[in-house]
Amino acid sequence: MKKKKILSLFIVLMFVFAVYSGKMTFLSAQPIQEKQAKTDTSKQVPKPYEALIKTYHLKFIKPIELLAVAKFYIIDSTSYEDTITVKIFRINIPKFEEIMKKLDVEKKTVLFKVFTVIASREKETQENEVIENRDLRKVLDELRNLWNFKSYKIDGPSFLTVKEDSGLSYFRLVSAVSNFNMHILHVKVRGEKPGKRIVSIGQIQLKWIAAFSNTEQTLISTDNITLKEKGYLVAGISGYGYSGRATKDTKALILVINAEIK
């Protein structure tokens, strides 16, 4: 009986010893495993100048527009319709995507209000209209001081809607005195805060159209102009006769534009 008890006690002690040894082995192995895991992770750290292939889908701009600005950040590229694939260093991806985010936005629409004004250095009461538009009156008063104009006749206005970055836009103006065409090229909106944005225009041309031959003569041509949002700007002044041709008489044709961003 005593032998059985001694044997049972011996078995229990061996079991406890085995369990304890297993725990110690597990605990001693943990730091090694953690150290090995850290070593493996360090091997997977991204390399800044690793060349990657990335594909992007554009919503509002063409790949060529993006490449024109961000070409210095990529190694190579290919595109099809609204999709662009670039080969790029990993370190340059954030900057490239930041530029893409700023450019790939919906184009703004600019509403131009166009006034053609017949001004005279002689007092012509019948043509000296009361100008109710305060901003337009302010612009013409400044011209009165510079050019010594005595009277004005407002012709228009005409309303023209132009999409940003749409290239060349062509319009027939509303006029009671002659046939006018207007060309607007490369309209761009600068700035993001409403009320403080700037509208830039690559070129504005005002053309007179001969009634019978349908030929055009350029009366006013102005390049690279800017105006504040909702602001008024004198886009050009030309000598003017009622035939539409430039003359040496006392009359002048003044082109005034206003821009609102929609």
Side-chain angles (χ1 to χ4, degrees):
M1 184 71 179
K2 289 182 179 180
K3 290 181 178 180
K4 289 183 178 179
K5 288 183 178 179
I6 292 171
L7 181 60
S8 299
L9 180 61
F10 179 76
I11 292 172
V12 170
L13 289 173
M14 289 296 293
F15 177 77
V16 170
F17 178 78
V19 171
Y20 179 78
S21 299
K23 286 184 176 180
M24 292 301 294
T25 302
F26 174 75
L27 291 173
S28 62
Q30 267 190 319
I32 297 174
Q33 291 173 355
E34 290 176 358
K35 184 176 180 180
Q36 185 177 1
K38 291 179 180 178
T39 303
D40 292 341
T41 303
S42 65
K43 292 179 180 178
Q44 298 173 4
V45 172
K47 299 176 181 178
Y49 290 96
E50 178 185 3
L52 302 177
I53 305 296
K54 301 274 289 182
T55 297
Y56 301 93
H57 298 282
L58 304 175
K59 293 182 179 179
F60 302 107
I61 62 173
K62 297 178 181 178
I64 191 173
E65 297 176 69
L66 175 60
L67 292 175
V69 179
K71 62 182 178 181
F72 297 108
Y73 294 97
I74 65 173
I75 304 169
D76 199 2
S77 68
T78 183
S79 61
Y80 177 73
E81 294 184 348
D82 61 348
T83 301
I84 181 171
T85 299
V86 297
K87 185 177 182 182
I88 185 171
F89 288 130
R90 185 187 296 274
I91 195 173
N92 288 335
I93 291 175
K95 187 62 178 179
F96 178 81
E97 292 181 348
E98 179 185 350
I99 292 173
M100 181 177 64
K101 183 178 179 181
K102 288 182 178 180
L103 291 179
D104 193 25
V105 294
E106 188 174 5
K107 301 299 183 184
K108 297 177 178 63
T109 298
V110 181
L111 174 64
F112 287 100
K113 188 185 295 184
V114 180
F115 300 88
T116 47
V117 182
I118 309 301
S120 175
R121 288 193 174 93
E122 297 179 357
K123 189 68 175 178
E124 300 182 27
T125 308
Q126 69 276 15
E127 294 189 358
N128 195 18
E129 298 182 358
V130 176
I131 303 172
E132 297 180 357
N133 186 315
R134 183 178 60 183
D135 295 311
L136 178 60
R137 186 171 64 244
K138 182 179 178 181
V139 170
L140 295 180
D141 285 343
E142 292 176 358
L143 286 178
R144 189 192 304 272
N145 295 330
L146 289 173
W147 292 76
N148 196 30
F149 292 129
K150 303 296 184 182
S151 62
Y152 297 104
K153 180 176 178 59
I154 310 299
D155 188 26
S158 298
F159 295 91
L160 321 175
T161 301
V162 178
K163 198 78 170 179
E164 186 182 16
D165 289 332
S166 59
L168 175 64
S169 298
Y170 170 89
F171 304 92
R172 175 69 63 89
L173 298 187
V174 176
S175 175
V177 298
S178 195
N179 298 319
F180 294 127
N181 280 348
M182 186 168 176
H183 297 188
I184 300 180
L185 182 64
H186 297 320
V187 174
K188 184 74 176 176
V189 177
R190 299 176 184 173
E192 297 296 332
K193 191 172 182 180
K196 294 188 176 181
R197 294 171 291 188
I198 299 294
V199 178
S200 67
I201 307 168
Q203 185 182 63
I204 285 183
Q205 288 189 334
L206 183 67
K207 297 176 179 286
W208 170 73
I209 311 167
F212 300 103
S213 62
N214 207 33
T215 57
E216 289 185 332
Q217 178 183 351
T218 301
L219 300 180
I220 293 173
S221 182
T222 307
D223 299 332
N224 300 320
I225 61 175
T226 59
L227 68 158
K228 294 180 180 179
E229 179 179 1
K230 296 184 179 179
Y232 285 75
L233 176 72
V234 176
I237 301 176
S238 171
Y240 177 77
Y242 279 100
S243 63
R245 295 185 295 273
T247 66
K248 296 181 180 179
D249 61 16
T250 58
K251 294 185 183 299
L253 174 66
I254 304 171
L255 178 63
V256 181
I257 61 172
N258 162 257
E260 293 187 20
I261 301 169
K262 301 298 183 180

